[in-house]
Each structure stands twice: as C-alpha cells, then as structure tokens.
Amino acid sequence: MTSKQREARQGKATIFDVAEQAGVSIKTVSRVVNNEPNVRESTRDKVLEAVGRLRYRPNVAARSLSGRRSWVLGLVYGSPDEFSYMKDVLDGALSACEERDYSLLLRPLTLPSAELVDQVERFITQARVEGVILPAPMGDLPDLQRLLRRLEIPFAAIAPKVATAGQVTILCEEQAASFALTEFLIERGHRAIGFIKGDPDHGAAAKRFAGYRQALAKHGIRYQGRLVRQGYFNFDSGKAAAAELLDLPQTPTAIVASNDDMAAGALLAARQRGLAIPHALSVVGFDDTPLASRLWPPLTTVRQPIREMAKTAAELLMDLLNGKATQPPAAPFACEIVVRESTT
Amino acid sequence: MTSKQREARQGKATIFDVAEQAGVSIKTVSRVVNNEPNVRESTRDKVLEAVGRLRYRPNVAARSLSGRRSWVLGLVYGSPDEFSYMKDVLDGALSACEERDYSLLLRPLTLPSAELVDQVERFITQARVEGVILPAPMGDLPDLQRLLRRLEIPFAAIAPKVATAGQVTILCEEQAASFALTEFLIERGHRAIGFIKGDPDHGAAAKRFAGYRQALAKHGIRYQGRLVRQGYFNFDSGKAAAAELLDLPQTPTAIVASNDDMAAGALLAARQRGLAIPHALSVVGFDDTPLASRLWPPLTTVRQPIREMAKTAAELLMDLLNGKATQPPAAPFACEIVVRESTT
DNA sequence: CTATGGAATGACAACGCTGTCAAGCTGGAA
DNA sequence: TTCCAGCTTGACAGCGTTGTCATTCCATAG
C-alpha cells in the first residue's frame, strides 16, 4: 500500500509517508515541520509539497512523548467569577496559543477552597501542563504560588497585587485610570464622591482605591472615610454599599464603584430611593462589561484591554518556556474612560 | 537508581517504576490503572499502593500514542456570542470531562465565516479531537455537519433545530416554557402581547415563537403579525424591535422577548418613551442570564438548566465514543419560569 | 589537487503506554 | 486423579515523533 492510498483511506499520514513521498528521511521531515535550520531550500520545498499533498499533521501525542514536552498551557480561574472578564481572558489566551500551536486547558476553581492546591496539582500533573496563566485574583494566592514553585511550573499573572520575580506579570494602568475617572467627576463639580472598594483579595481593588485618593488629593478635596465602603466586586455588595452611602446624613453626589457589577448595584440602590441618575447622583463603574451598556442609564466606566493583556501573558509565558530572554516586565497596558450617561 | 529516588527527584514515576515497586509486570499496572477486569484483588491493592506511594500519573501522551485515542473532546462555539450561556456550557462540559479524564479543547469561531470549515478541520485534525460538542447554533450549520460526517467525528448538539440520527441531541422544553411564559401574561390580563423573535439560525427561535402562538391559540386570542418583530438575540435588535412595537398605533401591553439581552433592549426602548415598567408595559425575557437580575426592573424570565444539559451532552458523547449503547435521545430538560418585577 | 570544516542529511534508539497473544494458575467436573 | 475452561499474568511489539550522533556533501583555503 502506498502512502498515498493510506492517506486517502485513513486521513492519517505519518511522517514516514511524507518522507517516502519527498524522498528524504523522516528526520528531515521533522526538521522542516519544526522549522529547524540547516535544511537546503530545495529539500524544504520538496518536503513541504509532500506535506501539503498528504495533508500531513504531526501527531501531537507522539511529539509530546518523544520531545518530553506537552505544549499545553493551563488557565486557572475562579469559576463563579465575573465571566465577561474571563471571556476576554480566554479569547486572548486562546488566540495566542493557536498561533504557536499550543493547547490551552481550563481549570475552574471555587474559591476559597481547601482542596485548591490538590485540584491544581492534579490538573497540572495529569495533563503535563507546562505553564499556567493566572488571571486575578489567582495570581495572589500564596498556596498556589508555592505549589507552582515546587512543581517548577512557570506562570503568567494578570493584574496581580505584586509581581513575582522570574515570572510573567501583566499589568494595566488601573490606578491612573481610577485617578482619571475620579478627576473626571471632580471636574464636573462633584466634591462629595463616594467610593465602593473591591474585594481586597484582588490587586485591582487597592489600585483603584489609590487612584481615587490620589485624585482627591490633587484637587485639594479632603478624604473622608465615611464616603468609602467595602464591596466584593459583585452586585449585591455594591448595592449594599451604595445603600449605606445614600442613607448618610450628607449624601455623596457621585459614586465610584470599583467595577460595573457593583455600579449596577449602586444604580439599583439609588432607584429604590427615588434618586434620578445622573441628575441627583452620578455613578461610574470599572471594566466596561456588556452589562455597562445595557443598564439604565448606560454606565460611564473604564475599559481595559483584557483580551490583549491575556494574549500577551500567554505569549510571554511561552517565550519563558522556550528559553527566550524574558523581556523586562511588559509595560503596563493603558485603560480608557468610556463616557456614557450615568454621569452629569 | 531506584524508582523511589527517581520519583523523588523528578516527580515523574513511570509505569515501570510502579511495576517494580508492586512486583508485577507493567501490563498488570496498566490493567489496574485502567480499571480493567481480571485482576486479583490482592494484586490490585499492591499496585494501587505503589501508585499512591510514587504518586504515579499515567503519561497522557504515551497513552494516546499507544492506544490511538486522544481522549480529547472539542467545544466549538461562536466567539461573540452571549457568554453567560457559554459559561454554563463550559462549566457543564468541563465537569463531565474531568470526571472521566477527558480533556476539553475550545475553538471559538466567528460566524458567518467562509473559513469555518477549514478552521474546524484544522482544529480537529491537529488535536486529534474525538468528538465535538456543538452548542446552538453550531448544531445547525450544514457545512459543519458535513465536515464532521466526512471526518467521522461524532458530535453532541445542544438545542439544535433538528436532531441528527446517530448523534447526541440535547433538548430543552423551550416551547413549553415559552407557552407557559405567554400564558402567565395572559392570565394577568394581557391581550395585546408583542413578541420579538430570535435569530432564525437558532433552533430556539422557532420553538419560543411556537410556544407564544400556542398560548394565544389556547386562550382564544387572535394572532396578529403586526405584534411580532424579528430580532437577533442581541441587545440592539431587541431595542429596535421593541421600538417598532411601541410606536404602533395600538401598543401592546406586554412584550415577550426571545432572550434576556433583547428584553434589556426592550426595557431601554420603553424607557425612552417614558413608559413605566411594569405598569404601562410588562416585559419578559428568556435564559435568566445574570443581566436579568441586574436590570431595572429585574426581568421575569425563563431559566434553562444549561449547565446540566451541557454536562449530559458531554457524557452521552463520551458514551457514544466508547461504544456504550446510545440511549434513546435523552428526555428534554425542563425549564423554569423565574418571576421578577418586570411583569404586572 | 587535497585538506578542512561547517552545512545537510540520515540511522537508530528512546519516549511511556496499550494491544495482542501466549503462558501459568486455579478450581471444579469427570 | 486428570482435564479443561476460565481467570490471571506477563513478554513483547508497536504507536509516531524527536534527540543524539554519525555520515555525507560541498565550498573554500592551502
């Protein structure tokens, strides 16, 4: 049976079939397929032609087994999390992986969890994951970090609180964005500006809060703790926090929520108190999720290039795995204020 | 070097190490690990103990290569789609895969696309995907179906328009739910009930519309085409469709939108016309996305057990791949009406 | 013309597991 | 007691690549 017949019948040409067709050894085929140097141009062409004719695809299992590399990246995320965020992370990571023929495996986790470390360890050893992408707040779990270090698995953290030496860290100018957002309100005359903090486990929470304080300071507005409430990046906590602010003797005229979901909660709290938005109260969010544009009124918020951040995270992680010089930590990504109708 | 030392140093015990520790052949270890029959209980225990001590994990690459099975399922989805839906699908599929030691690979697609077939073919052949999960509307693309048939790749379609013989089909009682939802409005006195259809490419669109008509018929309400508008399962189309309905000489007192995102659009259109909801207009959605509860007023809608549906889809697909008798098409899943405040 | 060294190519042994098939055991029937 | 069937177990050959190292080729220097 010729290789051509084999291919036609099974749709599974092997490296031997290609070698036969091209009249070279399997090793040469391997070199061409893997873009290795030291192959004569004419040889390369012959091989490539055979590859095309036979529709040859290297068998990933054989490649992994022989090369002792899995070409698999893992993405560990909090399962109940804000999913529009994860969608973007997924999109970005997936596109980076596809470009370089890596596979991406997902591992949702419920936090907090005692079994977390076991679950991730099983995930990594089972699938022979080579590197892990850690979207916030996964980049800040000490147990997880320890595990990865023990397993000698490199990782890329997206928006962690603190960068880890030797690993990939992707940051966004969240503090600057929060600063700009707050300043935006100040410039429009607001002086009593409430703030709803995010989950302290997320690095983002502190940065967004810092930007708020920084803006107040710059404009000579006294910081008042009574205008600040703790939230947890979700709707209910935003609603509760806003309710407290709006029941204050002296009510703020604007509220900065640390993300859109909490801003949505704030909108609801305002509505329950008969406050017209934005006239009686301005509300701003953070993240520009789909929710922001579907709410009434549509939210003024901050857009982060999550997709690009995740893509870069995956790319730098792959570079790290392949021994390419780790760039100095990538410059933080820029955010963008999206002005809609929830602000005067 | 003993296997114990090897394990300690590398964290990578092989089947040989386990065999040595347990005093059996590698084949017996293989049998135990794969739960094959005909292994004496005492032998099994010895092996299991060695497995535990060495923290042995079979190498998936070797297993795939040798067994000519990849143990990989693919999930093909429309990338810009409603993502809360995909989150649930992902959750369900992932949990099923995890239970049976399958891997799940994702392939987002932008529809419509001329390269769709090529992209999916590359996806499948590259990763040696054994079976594919097709959430709506992926289950209804003729090109895709043809491709999968040619490649002899079984698939599981979630909520397709029509079931495909020999494949897994997972359905939900959408028509019944839509019927119940419409009837719910009728019972509350509504007679002029508008309807916003979904994307005709989704099987769900027709079923939801049918349920609406069925409810009208049951209650002797004349069907009026003027109260029905075409939408595409997204916010903007819902807003536009609702705007048309609300600008009619004789306005409906309730609107059934075929999903939540369109219902959100309808809410906006109503607000722009100064209509108080639910007093001047009732609006209902479908899907119970997170959006539904964050809108004002929170939407009355229908919850589908998407997660369970996806899990079952994956399970039945794996059964199919492993030659287990394909059950008669699984009974459709039940939906549930969630009453909130967007209806009188 | 020959020597030389790097570029180009190939032979062959892993990689870690499962499938196949043969062999060893065991207990009950004859 | 012997025999047989069925349960257990093991030896060994792949599976399709890549890594290693040897060999061949070729252009250039001497």
Side-chain angles (χ1 to χ4, degrees):
Chain A
M1 180 167 65
T2 70
S3 57
K4 194 153 194 180
Q5 289 169 335
R6 246 189 97 189
E7 191 282 322
R9 198 166 56 74
Q10 302 214 357
K12 308 254 177 181
T14 74
I15 199 170
F16 285 94
D17 302 319
V18 177
E20 182 187 333
Q21 276 268 320
V24 299
S25 74
I26 58 167
K27 185 62 212 184
T28 297
V29 175
S30 174
R31 288 199 180 90
V32 172
V33 169
N34 292 293
N35 267 310
E36 286 172 25
N38 300 337
V39 177
R40 193 177 302 147
E41 201 54 37
S42 61
T43 307
R44 188 177 299 274
D45 290 345
K46 274 192 304 185
V47 172
L48 251 19
E49 202 219 350
V51 165
R53 189 165 40 228
L54 296 175
R55 319 190 105 241
Y56 168 69
R57 303 253 173 242
N59 180 315
V60 289
R63 195 204 286 262
S64 299
L65 182 58
S66 177
R68 299 176 231 353
R69 303 261 327 245
S70 68
W71 307 98
V72 168
L73 254 39
L75 174 57
V76 171
Y77 63 97
S79 146
D81 282 5
E82 176 65 64
F83 216 68
S84 58
Y85 170 66
M86 272 311 303
K87 172 197 174 15
D88 288 338
V89 169
L90 193 52
D91 264 13
L94 233 28
S95 81
C97 286
E98 198 188 344
E99 282 176 12
R100 304 214 200 162
D101 283 329
Y102 267 75
S103 293
L104 185 72
L105 254 28
L106 309 189
R107 186 55 167 99
L109 250 30
T110 23
L111 290 180
S113 155
E115 308 133 46
L116 180 141
V117 168
D118 276 353
Q119 292 176 337
V120 175
E121 176 161 9
R122 193 162 325 128
F123 172 63
I124 288 176
T125 56
Q126 188 102 15
R128 253 71 176 175
V129 169
E130 291 183 18
V132 179
I133 300 173
L134 263 20
M138 294 292 158
D140 291 309
L141 305 176
D143 288 348
L144 227 189
Q145 295 233 358
R146 208 170 306 128
L147 171 71
L148 294 175
R149 215 176 303 282
R150 172 159 68 78
L151 264 24
E152 297 180 43
I153 302 288
F155 59 87
I158 299 176
K161 279 189 203 176
V162 308
T164 305
Q167 308 290 355
V168 176
T169 305
I170 300 292
L171 261 12
C172 188
E173 293 180 329
E174 300 187 72
Q175 178 165 347
S178 176
F179 173 85
L181 193 59
T182 309
E183 191 166 53
F184 171 84
L185 292 169
I186 296 173
E187 283 167 354
R188 308 203 155 206
H190 293 283
R191 287 297 172 273
I193 303 176
F195 189 89
I196 306 178
K197 292 177 167 182
D199 186 331
D201 285 343
H202 284 58
K207 287 177 188 156
R208 294 175 189 185
F209 182 54
Y212 161 79
R213 293 202 59 162
Q214 189 186 348
L216 294 186
K218 173 179 172 191
H219 291 272
I221 300 175
R222 187 171 56 90
Y223 168 73
Q224 300 181 69
R226 64 177 194 99
L227 291 181
V228 175
R229 287 292 182 283
Q230 184 67 55
Y232 297 92
F233 279 144
N234 60 51
F235 183 75
D236 289 334
S237 69
K239 179 175 153 193
E244 288 182 28
L245 291 174
L246 297 177
D247 289 340
L248 247 29
Q250 291 167 51
T251 278
T253 64
I255 292 180
V256 177
S258 292
N259 77 349
D260 289 344
D261 211 19
M262 294 198 298
L267 248 32
L268 179 56
R271 177 141 18 226
Q272 289 174 334
R273 285 160 181 74
L275 259 30
I277 301 200
H279 309 297
L281 178 73
S282 287
V283 173
V284 300
F286 217 105
D287 290 344
D288 194 29
T289 56
L291 179 64
S293 56
R294 282 152 175 73
L295 253 16
W296 183 261
L299 279 179
T300 292
T301 182
V302 172
R303 174 156 47 221
Q304 300 179 70
I306 300 292
R307 199 180 173 287
E308 285 67 33
M309 291 167 66
K311 185 169 184 200
T312 303
E315 286 169 346
L316 293 181
L317 181 58
M318 290 187 274
D319 285 349
L320 189 61
L321 288 170
N322 296 313
K324 294 188 194 157
T326 316
Q327 347 278 339
F333 283 75
C335 302
E336 175 193 359
I337 295 187
V338 180
V339 179
R340 295 211 182 85
E341 300 160 47
S342 65
T343 46
T344 38
Chain B
M1 180 167 64
T2 70
S3 57
K4 195 155 193 177
Q5 289 168 333
R6 248 190 96 189
E7 190 281 323
R9 196 167 57 75
Q10 303 213 354
K12 309 254 174 177
T14 73
I15 199 170
F16 286 94
D17 302 320
V18 178
E20 182 189 331
Q21 276 267 321
V24 299
S25 73
I26 58 167
K27 183 63 211 185
T28 297
V29 176
S30 173
R31 288 199 181 89
V32 172
V33 169
N34 293 292
N35 267 309
E36 285 173 27
N38 300 336
V39 176
R40 193 178 301 147
E41 201 54 36
S42 61
T43 308
R44 186 179 300 272
D45 290 344
K46 274 193 304 185
V47 172
L48 252 19
E49 202 218 350
V51 165
R53 188 164 42 227
L54 296 175
R55 318 190 105 242
Y56 168 69
R57 303 253 173 242
N59 180 314
V60 288
R63 196 204 286 262
S64 299
L65 182 58
S66 175
R68 300 173 217 20
R69 302 260 329 242
S70 67
W71 307 96
V72 167
L73 254 38
L75 175 56
V76 171
Y77 64 98
S79 146
D81 281 6
E82 176 64 63
F83 216 68
S84 58
Y85 169 67
M86 272 311 302
K87 172 194 172 19
D88 288 339
V89 170
L90 194 52
D91 266 13
L94 232 29
S95 81
C97 285
E98 198 188 343
E99 283 176 11
R100 302 212 200 163
D101 283 328
Y102 267 74
S103 293
L104 185 70
L105 254 27
L106 309 188
R107 186 53 167 100
L109 250 30
T110 22
L111 289 180
S113 156
E115 307 132 48
L116 180 141
V117 168
D118 275 353
Q119 292 177 335
V120 175
E121 177 161 9
R122 192 162 326 127
F123 172 63
I124 288 176
T125 57
Q126 190 101 14
R128 252 72 177 177
V129 169
E130 290 182 20
V132 179
I133 300 173
L134 261 21
M138 295 292 159
D140 290 309
L141 305 176
D143 288 349
L144 228 189
Q145 294 234 357
R146 210 169 305 127
L147 172 70
L148 295 176
R149 216 176 302 281
R150 173 159 67 79
L151 263 25
E152 298 181 42
I153 303 289
F155 59 88
I158 300 176
K161 280 190 204 177
V162 307
T164 305
Q167 308 289 356
V168 176
T169 305
I170 300 292
L171 262 12
C172 187
E173 292 179 331
E174 300 188 72
Q175 178 166 347
S178 175
F179 172 86
L181 194 59
T182 308
E183 190 166 54
F184 172 84
L185 291 170
I186 295 173
E187 283 166 353
R188 306 203 156 207
H190 293 282
R191 287 298 173 271
I193 303 176
F195 189 89
I196 306 178
K197 292 177 167 182
D199 187 331
D201 286 344
H202 285 57
K207 288 177 189 154
R208 293 175 190 185
F209 182 55
Y212 162 78
R213 293 203 59 164
Q214 188 186 351
L216 293 188
K218 174 178 171 191
H219 292 272
I221 299 175
R222 189 171 55 89
Y223 168 74
Q224 300 181 67
R226 67 179 192 95
L227 291 181
V228 176
R229 288 292 183 281
Q230 184 68 53
Y232 297 92
F233 278 144
N234 61 50
F235 183 74
D236 289 333
S237 70
K239 180 175 151 193
E244 288 182 28
L245 291 175
L246 297 177
D247 289 340
L248 246 28
Q250 291 169 51
T251 279
T253 63
I255 291 181
V256 177
S258 292
N259 77 347
D260 289 345
D261 211 19
M262 295 199 297
L267 248 34
L268 180 56
R271 178 139 19 222
Q272 288 174 334
R273 284 162 182 72
L275 259 30
I277 302 203
H279 309 298
L281 178 73
S282 288
V283 173
V284 300
F286 217 105
D287 288 345
D288 194 29
T289 57
L291 180 62
S293 56
R294 281 152 176 73
L295 254 15
W296 184 260
L299 280 179
T300 293
T301 182
V302 171
R303 174 156 48 223
Q304 301 178 69
I306 299 292
R307 197 179 174 291
E308 285 67 32
M309 289 167 67
K311 184 167 184 199
T312 304
E315 287 169 347
L316 293 181
L317 182 57
M318 291 186 273
D319 285 349
L320 189 61
L321 288 169
N322 295 313
K324 295 187 192 153
T326 316
Q327 348 278 338
F333 284 74
C335 301
E336 175 193 0
I337 294 186
V338 180
V339 178
R340 295 210 181 85
E341 299 160 48
S342 66
T343 44
T344 38

